[in-house]
Amino acid sequence: MGFGGTKHKKLEEFRAKLRELSADPTQKSGLMILKNSLFKVALEKFNAHAKMMKPEEIGTLVDNTSGQSAVLFLSQDWVTSLKTFKSFSKEEEGMQFKVGLIDGVVYVQAGLSQLADLPSKEELVAKIIGSLYTPATKLVYGL
């Protein structure tokens, strides 16, 4: 993520909001500001050990980290964290998606924005239950 021009106080507010989102202390989302050159080295060393990404995917991640960058670590409920970031980025012009790696797939700015617009798991479950309940209700009112 990019944060150029964002005040330190806003970044701390965002970090606090991320901490609030996670009920499980072992699964917290977080934000780490880093140097792009160190990010590249860490990414290459991590991938040499984990073998999660292809070299071109590493290139995509590294190529899209210019300027001031930070890494957003997401919990299991990554949609909620992405939504939180997107809402903060609307308030603060400097905060923006750059590139991301979620479940082994590399996403660029537009892809991350689309993922942030997806409904959460709880919203999907509620919609499914509501759609299952609606036909029965219409049948009762129809009789």
Side-chain angles (χ1 to χ4, degrees):
M1 66 164 265
F3 65 96
T6 304
K7 303 274 188 220
H8 177 40
K9 185 175 181 178
K10 276 289 188 188
L11 288 173
E12 289 302 319
E13 286 176 22
F14 178 60
R15 282 182 170 145
K17 184 68 175 172
L18 286 175
R19 283 190 294 269
E20 289 175 15
L21 291 175
S22 181
D24 183 8
T26 62
Q27 294 292 322
K28 287 193 176 188
S29 296
L31 177 72
M32 181 183 292
I33 296 170
L34 51 83
K35 291 182 65 93
N36 293 334
S37 58
L38 293 177
F39 175 65
K40 180 182 178 184
V41 171
L43 197 59
E44 288 171 348
K45 286 188 178 189
F46 170 75
N47 196 50
H49 177 70
K51 305 268 191 242
M52 279 182 55
M53 297 174 279
K54 299 174 188 163
E56 58 269 10
E57 291 175 325
I58 292 175
T60 302
L61 285 170
V62 172
D63 292 344
N64 286 291
T65 55
S66 61
Q68 293 181 322
S69 299
V71 175
L72 182 60
F73 295 98
L74 306 175
S75 65
Q76 291 292 84
D77 185 16
W78 48 264
V79 173
T80 306
S81 298
L82 286 177
K83 284 179 186 247
T84 303
F85 176 76
K86 191 167 183 177
S87 70
F88 263 83
S89 69
K90 287 179 182 174
E91 298 171 13
E92 196 66 35
E93 289 181 24
M95 293 178 80
Q96 61 187 2
F97 288 120
K98 284 188 175 184
V99 64
L101 176 69
I102 300 175
D103 292 335
V105 180
V106 176
Y107 296 94
V108 291
Q109 186 175 12
L112 289 170
S113 186
Q114 288 175 341
L115 286 174
D117 292 335
L118 290 175
S120 68
K121 181 180 176 182
E122 291 79 19
E123 291 170 338
L124 288 174
V125 169
K127 286 181 181 182
I128 290 171
I129 291 172
S131 66
L132 292 174
Y133 180 72
T134 302
T137 305
K138 288 182 179 178
L139 177 68
V140 169
Y141 287 125
L143 296 176

